[in-house]
Amino acid sequence: GLGQLSTPYALENGGWASIFLLLVLGLICTYTSHLLGKCLHMSPKSLSYVDIGHHAFGSKGKLLVSTFIYLEIFMALVSYTISLHDNLATVFTGTYIPATGVMSTSQLLTLVAVLVALPSLWIRNLSSISFLSSGGILMSGVIFSCVVFTAAFGGVTPDNNIPMIRARSIPSISGLYVFSYGGHIVFPDLYKSMKDPSKFTKVSIVSFAAVTGLYTSMAFLGAKMFGPGVSSQITLSLPPHLIFTRVALWATVITPMTKYALEFAPFAIQLERILPSWMAPQTKTIVRGTVGSVLLLVILTLALSVPYFEHVLGLTGSLVSTSICVVFPCAFYLKISRGELGRTVLVLNWALIGVGCVLGASGTISSSKLLINSLRRAHHLHSS
């Protein structure tokens, strides 16, 4: 969803050579997904990502992992909503809705879209939620196809004014790249639902290879077409007069609306678990739906207050996705398999933990500075 939108922007900011970072992170995340499968094999009672953390590091590990997971969900939802706002504003460019005194036209349209998606948070059936979210996968394919058609038939003159490397931008774009691979929290659920879990690693390799190919192609196409002028979301750079652009913009609008229920599901499931056992199922549904609705409105408010997609997404990737996708799986595996690993595997996993910590820390600092500077500039312009 969001990952492929930002890869052209990340490649342009990091330079052509930064594509190797995307490829290396794809390899690392494939390996760490394999480690999660190994941890689940060694810990049959573990059913989720949080359970693996609990098995490896006890209650403190469970608390830490849960905190990071919920933080990633919250920040990802903020990014989805910012994307929804930006693309809706472009779709309805020139449209004016009489002033409400508080909200602009684009903000009002975003509010309406979020309210339309709000009932999906009341769905309890995971099959229905997964069916709904599959629309987001379809939309990702539509967006990619539109970019390819624009490159082939859109009459866009390629812009090659991109350097080989911008080393200073690597920390901030690493978060964008890592976020693109951030599906690790659901891998244990996939592992447990497979008829033959021994094939989990093969499935991971095929999946990550496909995703890496998609992201690499999107990054090169977008960066080459638009160069330094590429937007943080590739759909916002496409020529406005093309039918491909209209389709891509609407696909990007629909994607967040199909994803809200799926992103909220882990939190909703945990919420239901901690509710009193004597509470009726209907009451639990009401509590779950109400909490989800309030949370989504809070997310909407935050997204409209901090409308800087690339910085929020980069911060999410660096602050939490790097830990969830790189650091934690290696740490889990080292802890659960202690005393059974060879020197090479030990060195590899400790090295990956080190790389993850460096990328996470440097990316968090860099993205935070960029976000703060953007907020200061906006405040200064508003004051002027």
Side-chain angles (χ1 to χ4, degrees), residues 152-287:
F153 311 112
V156 179
T157 303
D159 189 332
N160 296 310
N161 190 24
I162 298 176
M164 185 55 64
I165 188 71
R166 286 193 179 103
R168 292 182 61 183
S169 299
I170 295 300
S172 59
I173 68 165
S174 66
L176 295 174
Y177 284 154
V178 171
F179 183 88
S180 302
Y181 295 115
H184 286 58
I185 60 174
V186 300
F187 289 163
D189 299 295
L190 297 177
Y191 179 94
K192 291 295 182 180
S193 65
M194 290 179 69
K195 291 181 180 179
D196 184 2
S198 66
K199 295 181 180 179
F200 176 76
T201 296
K202 291 181 181 179
V203 172
S204 295
I205 292 172
V206 172
S207 299
F208 275 101
V211 168
T212 302
L214 176 72
Y215 290 157
T216 304
S217 302
M218 180 70 90
F220 267 113
L221 280 174
K224 192 169 182 62
M225 275 196 293
F226 304 111
V230 69
S231 298
S232 59
Q233 300 173 68
I234 185 62
T235 50
L236 303 181
S237 292
L238 300 178
H241 63 280
L242 297 178
I243 185 65
F244 303 137
T245 301
R246 305 295 293 182
V247 173
L249 286 169
W250 273 111
T252 311
V253 167
I254 293 171
T255 298
M257 298 175 69
T258 64
K259 293 282 190 179
Y260 283 133
L262 182 66
E263 290 284 342
F264 179 68
F267 175 79
I269 291 170
Q270 187 61 31
L271 176 63
E272 286 198 7
R273 285 177 181 172
I274 63 175
L275 290 174
S277 57
W278 51 262
M279 191 175 285
Q282 288 183 337
T283 307
K284 288 185 177 182
T285 300
I286 293 173
V287 171

Side-chain angles (χ1 to χ4, degrees), residues 18-71:
S18 71
I19 198 67
F20 290 106
L21 177 61
L22 177 64
L23 296 174
V24 169
L25 286 171
L27 286 172
I28 291 173
C29 289
T30 306
Y31 173 70
T32 54
S33 69
H34 163 71
L35 293 184
L36 289 176
K38 299 271 284 186
C39 290
L40 289 165
H41 178 71
M42 292 182 288
S43 175
K45 291 183 179 180
S46 295
L47 301 175
S48 66
Y49 194 100
V50 173
D51 289 342
I52 300 174
H54 188 208
H55 177 73
F57 296 103
S59 56
K60 291 182 179 179
K62 181 179 180 179
L63 177 61
L64 179 65
V65 170
S66 298
T67 301
F68 270 75
I69 286 176
Y70 296 142
L71 187 60

Side-chain angles (χ1 to χ4, degrees), residues 66-110:
S66 298
T67 301
F68 270 75
I69 286 176
Y70 296 142
L71 187 60
E72 182 180 54
I73 291 170
F74 183 81
M75 295 178 72
L77 287 172
V78 171
S79 299
Y80 272 119
T81 309
I82 295 173
S83 174
L84 176 65
H85 170 264
D86 292 346
N87 285 274
L88 268 176
T90 305
V91 167
F92 291 100
T93 298
T95 301
Y96 174 73
I97 298 176
T100 61
V102 198
M103 306 180 76
S104 65
T105 297
S106 61
Q107 290 175 333
L108 190 58
L109 288 169
T110 307

